[in-house]
Amino acid sequence: MRTLEDLLRPNIRALQPYSCARNEYSGHEARVFLDANENPYNAPLNRYPDPEQRELKKVVARIKGVKPEQICLGNGSDETIDLAYRCFCRPGIDNVVAIEPTYGMYKVCADINDIEYRPVTLNSDFDIEADRILGACDANTKLIWICTPNNPTGNDLDYDQITKILNNFDGIVMVDEAYSDFTHRRAFRYELDEHPNMIVLNTMSKAWGLAGIRLGMAFARKEIIDVFNKVKYPYNVNFLTQNAARDAFKCAIEVSKWVSTIILERNRMTEAFKMLPMCKRVFKSDANFFLAEMVDADRIYQYLVECGIIVRNRSRVTLCHNCLRITIGTKTENNELLSALRTLSIR
């Protein structure tokens, strides 16, 4: 691969990061804080949070099987997605390659950062083909975006094809594993040492049930994480989020039970959907949702809205014509959806 120095934007290489008050006494214990112009009252919320999230990273490292220095935490995965563009891609010059269909924020962030976005359509099985991805790259391709299990298709992408891309691309490969807790495939974050050009994304929004606290994770070799930490805003993960995440990680056994229940419900729901007259096909899912091709997705979606049931209409997404994306809810919620559809007369 190209060296990290070659991949980074020149202004990022030369960047002198902002030094916040909490960074400057690092390595010493302190009792009296008169350095950051904080209000001395209303503890503990009067204090700025740890900009490096050191205690939280220790917990994340233990749970996720990585090292603390291999972690960058962000305000949701969207911040870490944007960081990749800001660190590596020169506006109006560089480009990125991504699978299609996939998570829409990759393209939105490319547009915001004025980066050319090159989508490569998945095959008829919603799977990735390494040669086509690599063939779309040129000397100015800095990033390749891969989401597995993919959104909105729900399936794990071919492990060997992803590995081939990692071994043959000289830029950065972004592997988004937001839904990896719902699959039995080995997570790519365990292979950081084997693939120095890989950045793996993860989130607290799915399996951990904490979409409301907005905590995303990026895992990569230390040299890349150091750049991310240099570019990110100093207090990007607030005090409440850090505390909520630490508390959540104490409940790993409970989360494992949630995941098992969701997988069982996913299997039940996909089988039930196959029996519906208005369902033409249910695609294999390794996530906490599934994609179903319907007879008339627009009409069915509107009917469900009128019933107070909200799913996602993906009909206008590439390869997903007439498809609805169904998130797995509680058994009661899932049964309400099935009941509503069973009373609808449409074939």
Side-chain angles (χ1 to χ4, degrees):
M1 64 173 288
R2 284 170 279 182
T3 67
L4 185 59
E5 301 304 313
D6 289 337
L7 289 168
L8 288 172
R9 288 169 51 178
N11 64 305
I12 298 301
R13 281 202 306 268
L15 178 68
Q16 293 298 314
Y18 173 74
S19 179
C20 61
R22 290 297 180 262
N23 281 331
E24 294 178 2
Y25 74 92
S26 181
H28 300 274
E29 293 296 323
R31 294 178 296 104
V32 179
F33 294 98
L34 305 175
D35 59 338
N37 302 335
E38 300 156 323
N39 188 321
Y41 306 107
N42 196 36
L45 298 180
N46 61 322
R47 300 300 181 188
Y48 287 110
D50 176 8
E52 298 178 13
Q53 306 100 27
R54 285 163 289 197
E55 292 305 313
L56 177 54
K57 284 179 180 176
K58 291 177 185 177
V59 182
V60 172
R62 186 177 73 251
I63 295 292
K64 296 294 184 177
V66 299
K67 301 171 185 175
E69 61 268 24
Q70 295 175 319
I71 303 170
C72 177
L73 301 178
N75 184 353
S77 292
D78 294 342
E79 181 182 12
T80 54
I81 290 169
D82 187 60
L83 274 172
Y85 283 104
R86 289 194 283 137
C87 290
F88 295 107
C89 299
R90 295 168 295 174
I93 300 174
D94 291 327
N95 67 76
V96 302
V97 171
I99 59 174
E100 186 175 45
T102 195
Y103 181 43
M105 278 304 295
Y106 310 145
K107 185 178 188 307
V108 170
C109 281
D111 292 343
I112 290 171
N113 286 281
D114 191 22
I115 305 300
E116 180 190 355
Y117 185 88
R118 299 181 175 182
V120 177
T121 307
L122 296 172
N123 64 26
S124 58
D125 294 322
F126 286 152
D127 215 340
I128 193 170
E129 295 177 358
D131 289 340
R132 294 179 59 228
I133 294 289
L134 294 168
C137 301
D138 62 22
N140 288 332
T141 305
K142 290 295 189 65
L143 308 174
I144 293 177
W145 291 98
I146 299 171
C147 183
T148 182
N150 190 29
N151 176 14
T153 60
N155 59 309
D156 266 330
L157 301 182
D158 188 285
Y159 176 89
D160 292 334
Q161 293 293 301
I162 297 174
T163 301
K164 183 176 181 179
I165 292 169
L166 285 162
N167 290 337
N168 289 277
F169 180 55
D170 65 357
I172 302 293
V173 181
M174 306 291 300
V175 181
D176 190 341
E177 293 189 319
Y179 301 96
S180 61
D181 294 285
F182 303 100
T183 180
H184 298 297
R185 178 186 55 75
R186 175 178 166 85
F188 274 96
R189 70 175 181 270
Y190 298 126
E191 301 180 9
L192 295 178
D193 293 336
E194 288 83 359
H195 301 295
N197 61 330
M198 179 174 67
I199 299 175
V200 177
L201 304 184
N202 220 184
T203 180
M204 297 293 285
S205 297
K206 311 304 178 187
W208 292 87
L210 288 171
I213 73 169
R214 307 308 301 134
L215 183 65
M217 294 161 267
F219 308 123
R221 61 183 170 117
K222 180 181 182 300
E223 291 80 3
I224 292 176
I225 295 301
D226 287 345
V227 174
F228 271 25
N229 286 331
K230 180 170 76 167
V231 174
K232 76 172 184 65
Y233 294 117
Y235 302 114
N236 62 324
V237 180
N238 69 64
F239 175 87
L240 299 175
T241 291
Q242 292 188 41
N243 278 1
R246 283 201 300 270
D247 289 343
F249 281 126
K250 298 174 185 176
C251 305
I253 294 176
E254 182 70 14
V255 171
S256 180
K257 292 178 182 177
W258 293 346
V259 169
S260 296
T261 299
I262 288 170
I263 291 173
L264 288 173
E265 277 295 287
R266 180 190 71 198
N267 296 340
R268 181 179 76 90
M269 288 293 289
T270 55
E271 291 303 310
F273 256 67
K274 291 175 184 177
M275 303 298 292
L276 294 172
M278 74 282 293
C279 181
K280 298 175 67 177
R281 180 181 179 186
V282 178
F283 297 94
K284 180 183 182 300
S285 175
D286 301 289
N288 67 331
F289 62 88
F290 64 92
L291 193 71
E293 183 183 0
M294 313 300 285
V295 171
D296 187 343
D298 288 343
R299 180 179 169 189
I300 295 169
Y301 173 80
Q302 191 57 45
Y303 163 76
L304 290 173
V305 169
E306 293 167 0
C307 293
I309 301 170
I310 310 302
V311 297
R312 196 78 189 270
N313 188 353
R314 301 280 74 189
S315 291
R316 288 152 188 83
V317 173
T318 302
L319 299 182
C320 297
H321 178 65
N322 259 336
C323 286
L324 298 179
R325 193 190 70 188
I326 314 296
T327 303
I328 302 302
T330 65
K331 189 169 186 176
T332 298
E333 292 170 331
N334 298 334
N335 286 341
E336 187 172 351
L337 169 62
L338 291 174
S339 178
L341 291 175
R342 285 166 179 161
T343 62
L344 177 62
S345 178
I346 181 173
R347 292 178 181 272

